[in-house]
Amino acid sequence: MDFFEAQARAKKRTSRLVVLFAFAVVGTILAAYVAGLLILRFVHGDGSIALIDGPHWWQPKLFARVAIATLAVIGLASLFKWRQFSAGGSVVAENLGGRRVDPRTTDFNEKRLLNVVEEMAIASGTPVPAVYVLDDEPGLNAFAAGLTTSDAIVAVTRGTLEKLTRDELQGVIGHEFSHILNGDMRLNMRLTSLLFGILVLGLVGRGVLWSLRVTRGGRRTRGKNGGGAILAVAAIGLALLIIGYVGYFFGRLIQAAVSRQREFLADASAVQFTRNPGGITGALKKIGGYALGSSLQSSKSAEIGHFFFAQGFRSMLGGLWATHPPLAERIRALDSSFDGTFFEPPQVVDVAVESFVTAGFASPKSGDLAPATTRSGGAAVLPPSAASAAVESVGSLTPEQLANAHLLLEATPQRLRDAAHDPVEAPVLLFGLLLADDPLARAPQCRLVTDRAGADAAEILSQLQPALANLGPEQRLPLLQLALPAIRQLAPAALDAFLGTLDELVHADSHVSTFEFALQKLLVHTLELGRKPDAAIAHYHSFNAVSDEISLVLSALARAATSDPAFAPRAFAAGAAQLKLVEAHLRFLDAAACDFASLDAALDKLAGASLPIKRRTLVAAASVVSADGRILITEAELLRAVAAALDCPMPPLLAAAIADRPAQG
């Protein structure tokens, strides 16, 4: 799956969706116009009121007013729902009764779920999404929701948690990560918002009829005029109810058609990610075998039915409103030998004793994959192919990446992983990642933590220091990814204080290292994008509009990629050669113009560039850092920070290097 092509397809689908819903809205307006005309002629049979110009069916004044009123109601309702969703995927999960899984949980099933999600996030280079469980849902289902990778969540039902093996769970989560990586989540949010805008007319009509029932139940309206007024209001309410649900009917047809097309791709992507067709097909077979299947109990499930892994509700209209293809079709698309036999559940299912081994998960052993890093003069070195492989892997997952994410996590001290999951300790952990190796330089940094964060934070920091001292350079940014869900739970005041202390630590020695810039940029950009998802909208579609920023990024990378000033222009030229359209406009900048503050501003502007610009810029950046025939971990960290700032999830270069390595033996 190509990340940039998938994002482009998502944008095309969004445009198509808007056109289809525009037709639905036009149909709703026409229905409302006809209803309004009939109501007015019924109430005023002589057609003498101001809105009626004559006995003909075409009344421009009436049509204009009906169209404006209908568009206003649909638009405001859709905007209202979209504003609700701007808080991120957690709104969707909590609206369905989801419970956020505590990363410190000791429950075996929940811990297994967290491990699977974390491994996929580390492997794909995305922020670790928050994980939710729908405790009141015994059926087998799951969904991902959010506007960007920075505010994404993954939710599973209790049935999924308890009834699936690890391989099957990994297949389901891989399916959901496909939706996260290829832009389906944002499309789902738009679908729901537009659908709500059309449905709200029906809800208003139902409210009007209900209010009349209450009014009539409380007192009788006397007189001809009073009865006529109530009859008119009742007619309007009924018309709105019918019009709203007619629009909703066609909107749901569009919703279902758009959703069904994407499920086969997500299934295939899950197999590509895990290289294990048995995982996702096993989950689908269990859905077909258990009596409850994938059905959800919540009355709100139909509203977001297109979010789910499998059909979340049963419709009286059968396949017309089905948001997912039939289970047998999905299974045969992955396993042509499927004979139609689903899973036969045992009388008693004891999942408490299931282990990672009995679940069929082949955990990679330390000797299965040799580390791609070597030590040369104390600096970790990667082959030059790692950079281009990482760019090609943007937004994708491979079994090699998953295996190496597992290795990275297994090699990370458990004390640090526990700290990353704790909202109290996670900020201190990130402070610890910024501490200098030199004891003399580290002492004032520790005092700064004590002064700004308090004695308790200083005590936690002292507990973490032994584990931090043995941490490999390739494990630092993955720890940041693990800590993001806990950091997002901080209250606004606590988050501001944390970011302020972090910034002071970065600048404590009046020198910003590559890693310090990468960590701060990754953290701040991810948090900012999570709070303002619309910041990812493209504003620049021409290379010339951002040529100065591209020059600055490539110049900064060229200077960071070598200690030899004479080689930096050659590294810059290697990257500029990848941008033929603007190569003549790119210029190598002097060191004073390439400070981290300028780089930060340039990346912020490039974040608003179109996907083709981002893609070619990343290709050029990879050429710069690999120009000298090797890639230091510091260069790899900076390249990942650039990719993250451009909203392009890049896997760790360690995993990319191993995946790109030819098979041995």
Side-chain angles (χ1 to χ4, degrees), residues 155-172:
V156 303
T157 60
R158 177 169 55 84
T160 298
L161 200 63
E162 295 177 348
K163 293 184 175 68
L164 297 188
T165 67
R166 193 184 199 277
D167 272 7
E168 292 163 350
L169 182 64
Q170 192 178 50
V172 171

Side-chain angles (χ1 to χ4, degrees), residues 247-268:
Y248 180 66
F249 171 81
F250 288 105
R252 286 287 295 275
L253 289 181
I254 297 170
Q255 174 200 46
V258 172
S259 177
R260 286 196 297 267
Q261 293 176 356
R262 297 170 299 160
E263 295 307 315
F264 287 116
L265 174 61
D267 288 345

Side-chain angles (χ1 to χ4, degrees), residues 62 77 234 244 279 291 310 318 341 476 486 566 630:
L62 176 62
T341 303
R476 296 183 296 181
R630 65 174 190 169

Side-chain angles (χ1 to χ4, degrees), residues 404-452:
N404 283 283
H406 181 84
L407 286 176
L408 277 174
L409 291 174
E410 287 295 307
T412 302
Q414 188 61 47
R415 180 68 183 91
L416 299 184
R417 293 173 65 180
D418 291 341
H421 293 148
D422 191 316
V424 175
E425 295 191 344
V428 183
L429 171 64
L430 298 189
F431 295 155
L433 293 176
L434 296 173
L435 295 183
D437 294 330
D438 181 9
L440 292 178
R442 188 166 61 245
Q445 291 178 313
C446 292
R447 287 196 295 272
L448 177 62
V449 171
T450 303
D451 294 341
R452 296 289 185 269

Side-chain angles (χ1 to χ4, degrees), residues 358-530:
T358 59
F361 175 66
S363 299
K365 308 297 189 295
S366 58
D368 289 343
L369 292 168
T373 56
T374 59
R375 294 286 174 179
S376 177
V381 180
L382 296 168
S385 61
S388 58
V391 172
E392 292 172 3
S393 299
V394 164
S396 70
L397 270 169
T398 66
E400 291 81 8
Q401 291 169 6
L402 279 173
N404 283 283
H406 181 84
L407 286 176
L408 277 174
L409 291 174
E410 287 295 307
T412 302
Q414 188 61 47
R415 180 68 183 91
L416 299 184
R417 293 173 65 180
D418 291 341
H421 293 148
D422 191 316
V424 175
E425 295 191 344
V428 183
L429 171 64
L430 298 189
F431 295 155
L433 293 176
L434 296 173
L435 295 183
D437 294 330
D438 181 9
L440 292 178
R442 188 166 61 245
Q445 291 178 313
C446 292
R447 287 196 295 272
L448 177 62
V449 171
T450 303
D451 294 341
R452 296 289 185 269
D456 290 342
E459 176 61 27
I460 294 171
L461 186 59
S462 67
Q463 296 173 10
L464 298 178
Q465 277 190 0
L468 287 167
N470 296 319
L471 199 65
E474 71 280 358
Q475 296 169 306
R476 296 183 296 181
L477 288 184
L479 265 178
L480 168 61
Q481 289 177 261
L482 290 182
L484 280 170
I487 296 296
R488 291 195 195 100
Q489 295 182 53
L490 296 178
L495 181 61
D496 289 342
F498 158 67
L499 292 175
T501 304
L502 191 82
D503 188 64
E504 289 190 53
L505 276 175
V506 168
H507 296 89
D509 56 359
S510 302
H511 169 72
V512 180
S513 69
T514 300
F515 171 72
E516 289 171 338
F517 173 79
L519 183 143
Q520 190 173 30
K521 185 64 180 175
L522 281 166
L523 175 64
V524 174
H525 181 76
T526 301
L527 293 174
E528 185 67 18
L529 190 60

